[in-house]
mmCIF file with all atom_site columns, all heavy atoms in Angstrom:
data_model
loop_
_atom_site.group_PDB
_atom_site.id
_atom_site.type_symbol
_atom_site.label_atom_id
_atom_site.label_alt_id
_atom_site.label_comp_id
_atom_site.label_asym_id
_atom_site.label_entity_id
_atom_site.label_seq_id
_atom_site.pdbx_PDB_ins_code
_atom_site.Cartn_x
_atom_site.Cartn_y
_atom_site.Cartn_z
_atom_site.occupancy
_atom_site.B_iso_or_equiv
_atom_site.pdbx_formal_charge
_atom_site.auth_seq_id
_atom_site.auth_comp_id
_atom_site.auth_asym_id
_atom_site.auth_atom_id
_atom_site.pdbx_PDB_model_num
ATOM 1  N N   . TYR A 1 24 ? 2.118   7.089  -8.732 1.00 82.00 ? 1459 TYR A N   1
ATOM 2  C CA  . TYR A 1 24 ? 0.808   6.451  -8.757 1.00 82.00 ? 1459 TYR A CA  1
ATOM 3  C C   . TYR A 1 24 ? 0.225   6.606  -7.367 1.00 82.00 ? 1459 TYR A C   1
ATOM 4  O O   . TYR A 1 24 ? 0.790   6.113  -6.401 1.00 82.00 ? 1459 TYR A O   1
ATOM 5  C CB  . TYR A 1 24 ? 0.898   4.970  -9.136 1.00 82.00 ? 1459 TYR A CB  1
ATOM 6  C CG  . TYR A 1 24 ? -0.442  4.293  -8.971 1.00 82.00 ? 1459 TYR A CG  1
ATOM 7  C CD1 . TYR A 1 24 ? -1.434  4.456  -9.935 1.00 82.00 ? 1459 TYR A CD1 1
ATOM 8  C CD2 . TYR A 1 24 ? -0.740  3.565  -7.838 1.00 82.00 ? 1459 TYR A CD2 1
ATOM 9  C CE1 . TYR A 1 24 ? -2.671  3.882  -9.771 1.00 82.00 ? 1459 TYR A CE1 1
ATOM 10 C CE2 . TYR A 1 24 ? -1.984  2.985  -7.667 1.00 82.00 ? 1459 TYR A CE2 1
ATOM 11 C CZ  . TYR A 1 24 ? -2.943  3.150  -8.633 1.00 82.00 ? 1459 TYR A CZ  1
ATOM 12 O OH  . TYR A 1 24 ? -4.183  2.600  -8.465 1.00 82.00 ? 1459 TYR A OH  1
ATOM 13 N N   . PRO A 1 26 ? -3.334  5.981  -5.336 1.00 77.00 ? 1461 PRO A N   1
ATOM 14 C CA  . PRO A 1 26 ? -4.673  5.409  -5.453 1.00 77.00 ? 1461 PRO A CA  1
ATOM 15 C C   . PRO A 1 26 ? -5.739  6.410  -5.015 1.00 77.00 ? 1461 PRO A C   1
ATOM 16 O O   . PRO A 1 26 ? -5.442  7.409  -4.368 1.00 77.00 ? 1461 PRO A O   1
ATOM 17 C CB  . PRO A 1 26 ? -4.626  4.216  -4.493 1.00 77.00 ? 1461 PRO A CB  1
ATOM 18 C CG  . PRO A 1 26 ? -3.575  4.567  -3.516 1.00 77.00 ? 1461 PRO A CG  1
ATOM 19 C CD  . PRO A 1 26 ? -2.569  5.395  -4.258 1.00 77.00 ? 1461 PRO A CD  1
ATOM 20 N N   . GLU A 1 27 ? -6.970  6.128  -5.384 1.00 74.00 ? 1462 GLU A N   1
ATOM 21 C CA  . GLU A 1 27 ? -8.083  6.969  -4.973 1.00 74.00 ? 1462 GLU A CA  1
ATOM 22 C C   . GLU A 1 27 ? -8.172  6.973  -3.448 1.00 74.00 ? 1462 GLU A C   1
ATOM 23 O O   . GLU A 1 27 ? -7.821  5.995  -2.802 1.00 74.00 ? 1462 GLU A O   1
ATOM 24 C CB  . GLU A 1 27 ? -9.387  6.403  -5.539 1.00 74.00 ? 1462 GLU A CB  1
ATOM 25 C CG  . GLU A 1 27 ? -9.451  6.349  -7.045 1.00 74.00 ? 1462 GLU A CG  1
ATOM 26 C CD  . GLU A 1 27 ? -10.688 5.613  -7.518 1.00 74.00 ? 1462 GLU A CD  1
ATOM 27 O OE1 . GLU A 1 27 ? -11.724 5.638  -6.828 1.00 74.00 ? 1462 GLU A OE1 1
ATOM 28 O OE2 . GLU A 1 27 ? -10.599 4.998  -8.588 1.00 74.00 ? 1462 GLU A OE2 1
ATOM 29 N N   . PRO A 1 28 ? -8.656  8.083  -2.865 1.00 80.00 ? 1463 PRO A N   1
ATOM 30 C CA  . PRO A 1 28 ? -8.834  8.110  -1.404 1.00 80.00 ? 1463 PRO A CA  1
ATOM 31 C C   . PRO A 1 28 ? -9.694  6.934  -0.945 1.00 80.00 ? 1463 PRO A C   1
ATOM 32 O O   . PRO A 1 28 ? -10.693 6.596  -1.581 1.00 80.00 ? 1463 PRO A O   1
ATOM 33 C CB  . PRO A 1 28 ? -9.543  9.452  -1.160 1.00 80.00 ? 1463 PRO A CB  1
ATOM 34 C CG  . PRO A 1 28 ? -9.145  10.304 -2.328 1.00 80.00 ? 1463 PRO A CG  1
ATOM 35 C CD  . PRO A 1 28 ? -9.021  9.357  -3.490 1.00 80.00 ? 1463 PRO A CD  1
ATOM 36 N N   . GLY A 1 29 ? -9.251  6.322  0.125  1.00 79.00 ? 1464 GLY A N   1
ATOM 37 C CA  . GLY A 1 29 ? -9.944  5.153  0.649  1.00 79.00 ? 1464 GLY A CA  1
ATOM 38 C C   . GLY A 1 29 ? -9.444  3.839  0.078  1.00 79.00 ? 1464 GLY A C   1
ATOM 39 O O   . GLY A 1 29 ? -9.810  2.771  0.550  1.00 79.00 ? 1464 GLY A O   1
ATOM 40 N N   . LYS A 1 30 ? -8.601  3.912  -0.955 1.00 74.00 ? 1465 LYS A N   1
ATOM 41 C CA  . LYS A 1 30 ? -8.066  2.691  -1.572 1.00 74.00 ? 1465 LYS A CA  1
ATOM 42 C C   . LYS A 1 30 ? -6.540  2.665  -1.488 1.00 74.00 ? 1465 LYS A C   1
ATOM 43 O O   . LYS A 1 30 ? -5.886  2.093  -2.344 1.00 74.00 ? 1465 LYS A O   1
ATOM 44 C CB  . LYS A 1 30 ? -8.518  2.595  -3.028 1.00 74.00 ? 1465 LYS A CB  1
ATOM 45 C CG  . LYS A 1 30 ? -10.012 2.433  -3.182 1.00 74.00 ? 1465 LYS A CG  1
ATOM 46 C CD  . LYS A 1 30 ? -10.386 2.194  -4.623 1.00 74.00 ? 1465 LYS A CD  1
ATOM 47 C CE  . LYS A 1 30 ? -11.870 1.960  -4.743 1.00 74.00 ? 1465 LYS A CE  1
ATOM 48 N NZ  . LYS A 1 30 ? -12.284 1.693  -6.114 1.00 74.00 ? 1465 LYS A NZ  1
ATOM 49 N N   . GLU A 1 31 ? -6.000  3.283  -0.440 1.00 73.00 ? 1466 GLU A N   1
ATOM 50 C CA  . GLU A 1 31 ? -4.546  3.373  -0.314 1.00 73.00 ? 1466 GLU A CA  1
ATOM 51 C C   . GLU A 1 31 ? -3.870  2.008  -0.225 1.00 73.00 ? 1466 GLU A C   1
ATOM 52 O O   . GLU A 1 31 ? -2.714  1.865  -0.592 1.00 73.00 ? 1466 GLU A O   1
ATOM 53 C CB  . GLU A 1 31 ? -4.157  4.211  0.911  1.00 73.00 ? 1466 GLU A CB  1
ATOM 54 C CG  . GLU A 1 31 ? -4.433  5.680  0.761  1.00 73.00 ? 1466 GLU A CG  1
ATOM 55 C CD  . GLU A 1 31 ? -5.890  6.078  1.039  1.00 73.00 ? 1466 GLU A CD  1
ATOM 56 O OE1 . GLU A 1 31 ? -6.687  5.231  1.477  1.00 73.00 ? 1466 GLU A OE1 1
ATOM 57 O OE2 . GLU A 1 31 ? -6.229  7.237  0.793  1.00 73.00 ? 1466 GLU A OE2 1
ATOM 58 N N   . LYS A 1 32 ? -4.575  1.010  0.250  1.00 77.00 ? 1467 LYS A N   1
ATOM 59 C CA  . LYS A 1 32 ? -3.976  -0.321 0.349  1.00 77.00 ? 1467 LYS A CA  1
ATOM 60 C C   . LYS A 1 32 ? -3.954  -1.027 -1.007 1.00 77.00 ? 1467 LYS A C   1
ATOM 61 O O   . LYS A 1 32 ? -3.374  -2.076 -1.146 1.00 77.00 ? 1467 LYS A O   1
ATOM 62 C CB  . LYS A 1 32 ? -4.726  -1.163 1.374  1.00 77.00 ? 1467 LYS A CB  1
ATOM 63 C CG  . LYS A 1 32 ? -4.542  -0.632 2.782  1.00 77.00 ? 1467 LYS A CG  1
ATOM 64 C CD  . LYS A 1 32 ? -5.160  -1.512 3.814  1.00 77.00 ? 1467 LYS A CD  1
ATOM 65 C CE  . LYS A 1 32 ? -4.955  -0.850 5.158  1.00 77.00 ? 1467 LYS A CE  1
ATOM 66 N NZ  . LYS A 1 32 ? -4.976  -1.769 6.242  1.00 77.00 ? 1467 LYS A NZ  1
ATOM 67 N N   . TRP A 1 33 ? -4.598  -0.425 -2.007 1.00 79.00 ? 1468 TRP A N   1
ATOM 68 C CA  . TRP A 1 33 ? -4.663  -1.010 -3.336 1.00 79.00 ? 1468 TRP A CA  1
ATOM 69 C C   . TRP A 1 33 ? -3.571  -0.431 -4.224 1.00 79.00 ? 1468 TRP A C   1
ATOM 70 O O   . TRP A 1 33 ? -3.824  0.079  -5.303 1.00 79.00 ? 1468 TRP A O   1
ATOM 71 C CB  . TRP A 1 33 ? -6.041  -0.790 -3.954 1.00 79.00 ? 1468 TRP A CB  1
ATOM 72 C CG  . TRP A 1 33 ? -7.109  -1.474 -3.185 1.00 79.00 ? 1468 TRP A CG  1
ATOM 73 C CD1 . TRP A 1 33 ? -7.895  -0.923 -2.227 1.00 79.00 ? 1468 TRP A CD1 1
ATOM 74 C CD2 . TRP A 1 33 ? -7.474  -2.847 -3.266 1.00 79.00 ? 1468 TRP A CD2 1
ATOM 75 N NE1 . TRP A 1 33 ? -8.734  -1.867 -1.715 1.00 79.00 ? 1468 TRP A NE1 1
ATOM 76 C CE2 . TRP A 1 33 ? -8.494  -3.079 -2.336 1.00 79.00 ? 1468 TRP A CE2 1
ATOM 77 C CE3 . TRP A 1 33 ? -7.025  -3.922 -4.043 1.00 79.00 ? 1468 TRP A CE3 1
ATOM 78 C CZ2 . TRP A 1 33 ? -9.085  -4.314 -2.156 1.00 79.00 ? 1468 TRP A CZ2 1
ATOM 79 C CZ3 . TRP A 1 33 ? -7.617  -5.151 -3.860 1.00 79.00 ? 1468 TRP A CZ3 1
ATOM 80 C CH2 . TRP A 1 33 ? -8.626  -5.343 -2.936 1.00 79.00 ? 1468 TRP A CH2 1
ATOM 81 N N   . THR A 1 34 ? -2.356  -0.491 -3.732 1.00 80.00 ? 1469 THR A N   1
ATOM 82 C CA  . THR A 1 34 ? -1.214  0.041  -4.463 1.00 80.00 ? 1469 THR A CA  1
ATOM 83 C C   . THR A 1 34 ? -0.105  -1.003 -4.437 1.00 80.00 ? 1469 THR A C   1
ATOM 84 O O   . THR A 1 34 ? 0.019   -1.749 -3.487 1.00 80.00 ? 1469 THR A O   1
ATOM 85 C CB  . THR A 1 34 ? -0.701  1.332  -3.788 1.00 80.00 ? 1469 THR A CB  1
ATOM 86 O OG1 . THR A 1 34 ? -1.771  2.248  -3.707 1.00 80.00 ? 1469 THR A OG1 1
ATOM 87 C CG2 . THR A 1 34 ? 0.423   1.949  -4.570 1.00 80.00 ? 1469 THR A CG2 1
#
Side-chain angles (χ1 to χ4, degrees):
Y1459 172 78
E1462 299 173 30
K1465 295 186 177 181
E1466 289 82 7
K1467 293 185 182 205
W1468 297 96
T1469 304

